[in-house]
């Protein structure tokens, strides 16, 4: 370990604790254990990736490691304690969670990105800080090192952790995600928290059958043996395609990073795209064998332009998949998390999570959740219908240019050319009409709606995820739109801004290879840094891409505030093995900044650092 000065971990304080059986934990309670603090927010796909990465570590080191999730919310809805409790269950969080609604702990531990991980040793000192995902192997090596050091010192204490599981209520569905209408009128629903698919009768309540055992896994096979992991999007293939492909329905098996095919007559499940590994590579425009390419949290699916389009939430892109040729590739987006319209290969998205195709087949609607936006693809261009950016959200109807949503997860194109939106964190169904340019509220008071489905008879069904049910909107709900509108609050994510100087500023992204790894330049430069600003005028110089993790920026003194968008990645490989595994560490930061004349002329961001 490094001999640099050690920093005492700040005490853990928040509004409430979850998963502890009502007990409030302190650092003294955790002394003698290795403590891993995971600063997360439940809207963030990168944070959900980290939850999955931590599961094997929690199992392997359960007698010495305590993981504590520090929930530091981005959206207003995420500050609701009931919504947080639901999210902890929804995503299978099996460790204590500290509710930090005002980001006090976030500031105490100097976090600047979701997610951020801080490691505290058994004596109560912070020994490592890292941002982003992909740190599981480095964490395992660090934990092994800490075990050796503190067993030798006698400061490591083994035993059971403080986690106390909550009681799970009995409901037919548990946090359902998406739904489709089958031939004959039955409904198929992705029962996400129960890792399965459920076929329901047209009443939306009567269970016809379940596909999948309900256990988390990725096994292919018959309906009573197959397994999924938090499946989301569902898409029926056209009959002529299904006949050749050998399956009728495609499933976005989100946490497995796979696409699964289902034969509806038998319920047989097969894996048709993805390796099961999460995508951490470089952007290309090539077609790949679908079973050989990594995916990243596919969230929804749609049949558009004679192929499947995938909302690849994990890397802020759209991808395509051809079931007959069994190939896949990138369709839109650069992996930069932000809102920018333009040609598909150059546009920016932020966690696209819902897809729907217009009745004439020309337009693909996209729910771009992290920008609280409704986007659309048409004629090779990505545009924005409603939404203003990563940090602006609310519940405001009216002209689309002023209207606001809050983290929408679903869209449903209507025959008249308008689109319904599952406005998830507002608990509402909204409607955007391109003919008038207006946004209206169709229904509110819903519990985290995640999808909207139009039946052949014209009924509108809402997947009311946090209420664990499908809800049928009242007859006439659509025709009544416009009688009244909502002029609710406007919100902006109020993370404490970082003060920077006007003029020249040095941006340094700090990266230390994890124990047992070294920088990997076998395929070219090992690092990459992309910088942009909102508004663009904030930066006179320094925007763009490069391979150095240090960048000279020139900040315009007349622009007093904005957001620096920074994407950094670093490639490493194992030291001990000549043919050791390769790793890619990557993080996106949206850093709110305030320009102050006497502020520091250096902005450090930690991608990974030891002895923080």
């Amino acid at each position: 370990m490094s001999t640099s000065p050690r920093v005492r971990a700040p005490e853990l304080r928040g509004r409430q604790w979850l998963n502890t059986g009502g007990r409030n934990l302190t650092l003294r309670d955790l002394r003698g254990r290795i403590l891993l603090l995971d600063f997360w927010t439940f809207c963030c796909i990168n944070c959900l990736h980290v939850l999955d990465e931590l599961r094997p570590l929690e199992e392997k080191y359960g007698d010495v490691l305590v993981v504590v999730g520090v929930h530091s919310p981005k959206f207003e809805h995420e500050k609701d304690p009931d919504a947080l409790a639901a999210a902890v269950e929804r995503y299978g969080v099996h460790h204590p969670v500290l509710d930090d609604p005002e980001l006090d702990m976030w500031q105490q531990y100097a976090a600047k990105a979701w997610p951020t991980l801080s490691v505290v040793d058994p004596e109560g000192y912070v020994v490592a800080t890292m941002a982003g995902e992909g740190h599981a192997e480095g964490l395992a090596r660090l934990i092994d090192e800490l075990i050796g050091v503190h067993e030798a010192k006698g400061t490591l204490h083994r035993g059971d952790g403080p986690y106390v599981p909550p009681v799970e209520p009995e409901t037919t569905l548990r946090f359902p995600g998406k739904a489709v209408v089958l031939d004959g009128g039955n409904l198929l629903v992705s029962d996400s928290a129960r890792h399965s698919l459920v076929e329901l009768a047209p009443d939306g309540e009567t269970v016809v059958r379940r596909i999948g055992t309900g256990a988390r896994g990725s096994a292919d096979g018959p309906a009573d043996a197959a397994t999924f992991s938090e499946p989301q999007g569902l898409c029926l293939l056209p009959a002529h395609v299904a006949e050749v492909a050998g399956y009728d329905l495609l499933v976005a098996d989100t946490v497995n990073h796979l696409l699964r095919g289902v034969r509806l007559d038998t319920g047989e499940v097969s894996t048709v795209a993805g390796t099961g590994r999460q995508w951490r590579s470089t952007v290309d425009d090539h077609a790949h064998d679908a079973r050989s390419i990594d995916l990243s949290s596919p969230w929804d699916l749609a049949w558009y332009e004679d192929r499947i389009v995938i909302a690849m939430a994990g890397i802020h892109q759209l991808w395509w998949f051809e079931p007959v040729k069994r190939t896949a590739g990138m369709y839109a987006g650069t992996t930069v998390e932000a809102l920018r319209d333009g040609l598909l290969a150059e546009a920016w998205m932020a966690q696209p999570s819902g897809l729907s195709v217009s009745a004439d087949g020309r337009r693909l609607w996209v729910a771009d959740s992290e920008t609280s936006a409704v986007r659309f693809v048409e004629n090779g261009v990505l545009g924005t219908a409603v939404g203003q950016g990563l940090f602006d959200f609310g519940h405001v109807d009216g002209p689309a240019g002023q209207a606001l949503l809050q983290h929408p997860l679903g869209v449903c194109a209507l025959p008249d050319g308008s689109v319904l939106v599952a406005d998830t964190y507002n608990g509402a169904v909204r409607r955007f009409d391109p003919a008038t340019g207006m946004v209206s509220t169709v229904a509110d008071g819903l519990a985290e709606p995640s999808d909207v489905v139009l039946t052949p008879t014209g009924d509108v069904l809402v997947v009311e995820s946090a209420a664990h049910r499908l809800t049928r909107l009242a007859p006439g709900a659509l025709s009544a739109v416009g009688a009244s509108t909502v002029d609710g609050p406007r919100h902006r994510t109020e993370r404490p801004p970082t003060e920077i100087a006007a003029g020249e500023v040095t941006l340094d992204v700090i990266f230390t290879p994890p124990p047992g790894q070294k920088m990997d330049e076998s395929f070219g430069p090992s690092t990459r840094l992309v910088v942009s600003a909102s508004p663009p005028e904030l930066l006179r110089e320094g925007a763009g891409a490069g391979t150095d993790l240090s960048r000279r920026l020139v900040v315009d003194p007349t622009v007093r505030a904005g957001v620096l968008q920074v994407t950094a990645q670093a490639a490493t490989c194992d030291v001990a093995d000549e043919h050791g595994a390769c790793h890619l560490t990557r993080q996106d930061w949206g850093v709110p900044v305030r320009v102050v004349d006497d502020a520091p002329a250096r902005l450090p961001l930690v991608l990974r650092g030891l002895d923080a």
Side-chain angles (χ1 to χ4, degrees):
M1 301 293 293
S2 169
T3 58
S4 60
R6 300 203 296 169
V7 177
R8 274 282 181 193
E11 185 54 81
L12 301 176
R13 296 185 178 90
R15 177 168 59 185
Q16 64 170 339
W17 284 89
L18 292 83
N19 285 354
T20 63
R23 179 185 178 192
N24 292 331
L25 300 178
T26 67
L27 288 178
R28 180 178 292 275
D29 297 327
L30 304 174
R31 188 66 57 84
R33 311 294 290 276
I34 299 167
L35 173 62
L36 174 57
L37 299 176
D38 174 19
F39 292 86
W40 70 300
T41 186
F42 65 76
C43 70
C44 165
I45 191 66
N46 309 94
C47 300
L48 302 186
H49 290 165
V50 168
L51 289 177
D52 200 49
E53 291 173 357
L54 294 181
R55 288 189 180 104
L57 295 179
E58 294 178 87
E59 183 175 347
K60 179 178 180 180
Y61 298 104
D63 63 336
V64 296
L65 175 69
V66 174
V67 176
V68 169
V70 182
H71 188 261
S72 309
K74 171 185 175 181
F75 287 101
E76 193 69 19
H77 175 69
E78 293 174 298
K79 296 180 180 180
D80 182 337
D82 293 334
L84 172 57
V88 168
E89 182 193 344
R90 178 198 298 266
Y91 296 119
V93 180
H94 292 165
H95 52 248
V97 173
L98 177 61
D99 185 5
D100 181 32
E102 303 305 321
L103 278 67
D104 293 328
M105 288 293 91
W106 168 282
Q107 295 180 68
Q108 288 283 314
Y109 281 83
K112 285 188 171 64
W114 289 288
T116 292
L117 301 173
S118 289
V119 180
V120 180
D121 73 11
E123 294 180 287
Y125 292 95
V126 179
V127 294
T129 297
M130 52 202 75
E133 52 186 281
H135 297 292
E137 257 190 81
L139 282 168
R141 294 176 189 267
L142 177 59
I143 292 168
D144 286 335
E145 186 177 338
L146 289 170
I147 289 172
V149 169
H150 289 277
E151 274 192 328
K153 294 174 67 174
T155 49
L156 183 73
H157 305 307
R158 297 179 181 270
D160 293 333
Y163 169 67
V164 178
V167 177
E168 180 181 330
E170 293 186 8
T171 53
T172 300
L173 303 173
R174 205 74 196 147
F175 297 104
K178 305 288 185 181
V180 293
V181 181
L182 303 177
D183 293 342
N186 281 359
L187 302 159
L188 194 68
V189 182
S190 55
D191 197 12
S192 302
R194 291 219 176 102
H195 315 297
S196 56
L197 313 179
V198 178
E199 185 174 344
L200 301 174
D203 62 9
E205 298 179 5
T206 305
V207 176
V208 176
R209 62 171 168 168
R210 187 176 288 269
I211 300 174
T213 67
R216 189 188 294 271
S218 58
D220 291 339
D224 60 358
T227 53
F228 300 88
S229 187
E230 299 180 32
Q232 287 285 339
L234 308 169
C235 184
L236 290 166
L237 296 181
H240 68 282
V241 177
E243 185 176 357
V244 178
Y247 53 90
D248 311 284
L249 177 96
L250 202 61
V251 182
D253 195 6
T254 304
V255 175
N256 277 329
H257 310 297
L258 297 173
L259 300 187
R260 316 289 293 282
V262 179
R263 290 184 60 99
L264 291 176
D265 57 349
T266 65
E268 185 83 15
V269 177
S270 59
T271 299
V272 298
T275 63
R277 296 183 300 269
Q278 186 183 335
W279 185 92
R280 292 193 179 97
S281 187
T282 54
V283 175
D284 66 49
D285 58 0
H286 305 309
H288 298 267
D289 175 82
R291 287 302 311 274
S292 70
I293 193 168
D294 301 340
L295 309 179
S296 184
S297 295
W299 206 277
D300 204 8
L301 307 163
W303 184 259
Y304 180 64
E305 295 180 340
D306 294 323
R307 53 186 173 178
I308 288 287
V309 173
I310 310 163
M312 201 72 78
I315 46 176
H316 319 298
Q317 290 184 308
L318 303 179
W319 281 32
W320 58 264
F321 167 64
E322 291 194 351
V324 174
K325 294 182 179 179
R326 301 177 184 177
T327 53
M330 298 182 187
Y331 180 69
T334 66
T335 76
V336 173
E337 182 183 13
L339 190 153
R340 186 175 76 179
D341 295 339
L343 296 175
L344 296 182
E346 300 171 1
W348 294 346
M349 286 174 279
Q351 210 168 305
S353 302
L355 301 173
S356 186
V357 180
S358 62
D360 60 10
R362 295 175 57 187
R363 175 171 285 190
L364 175 68
W365 293 102
V366 182
D368 202 31
S369 62
E370 279 294 285
T371 55
S372 296
V374 174
R375 319 283 295 277
F376 60 89
V377 173
E378 191 169 10
N379 297 325
V381 173
L382 181 70
T384 299
V386 185
Q388 299 177 21
L390 280 169
F391 301 107
D392 295 278
F393 55 94
H395 191 162
V396 178
D397 288 333
Q402 287 77 50
L404 293 173
L405 311 170
Q406 186 178 181
H407 197 77
L409 289 178
V411 282
C412 176
L414 296 178
D416 67 358
S418 66
V419 61
L420 295 178
V421 184
D423 192 7
T424 308
Y425 286 2
N426 279 326
V429 174
R430 313 283 291 282
R431 185 181 189 177
F432 168 65
D433 186 353
T436 63
M438 300 294 285
V439 175
S440 307
T441 295
V442 173
D444 56 12
L446 301 168
E448 295 191 9
S450 56
D451 200 13
V452 183
V453 179
L454 184 68
T455 71
T457 59
D459 290 340
V460 176
L461 297 176
V462 181
V463 179
E464 201 176 355
S465 188
H468 320 295
R469 66 191 180 195
L470 301 188
T471 299
R472 194 178 304 268
L473 295 189
L478 296 185
S479 61
V481 170
S484 62
T485 58
V486 174
D487 186 16
R490 295 175 178 267
H491 296 290
R492 221 183 132 71
T493 301
E494 296 298 342
R495 285 160 49 192
T498 298
E499 293 185 347
I500 61 172
E504 289 195 12
V505 173
T506 300
L507 170 66
D508 286 321
V509 176
I510 301 163
F511 180 77
T512 304
Q517 295 179 23
K518 63 180 180 179
M519 303 304 290
D520 178 16
E521 301 198 357
S522 54
F523 297 100
S526 59
T527 57
R528 178 174 170 81
L529 180 65
V530 182
V531 179
S532 62
S534 179
E537 294 78 19
L538 177 65
L539 287 183
R540 288 183 173 177
E541 296 180 31
T547 58
D548 195 334
L549 290 184
S550 183
R551 178 79 59 85
R552 173 184 172 271
L553 309 178
V554 178
V555 177
D556 191 325
T558 66
V559 181
R560 306 309 291 181
V563 177
L564 283 178
Q565 294 151 333
V566 181
T567 300
Q569 65 183 44
T572 58
C573 61
D574 294 340
V575 173
D577 188 350
E578 182 181 352
H579 304 289
C582 297
H583 315 273
L584 186 70
T585 303
R586 175 190 169 90
Q587 174 61 23
D588 296 287
W589 289 270
V591 183
V593 296
R594 183 168 63 236
V595 180
V596 179
D597 293 336
D598 58 352
R602 178 174 178 264
L603 176 59
L605 298 174
V606 178
L607 182 58
R608 188 187 187 281
L610 291 175
D611 295 291

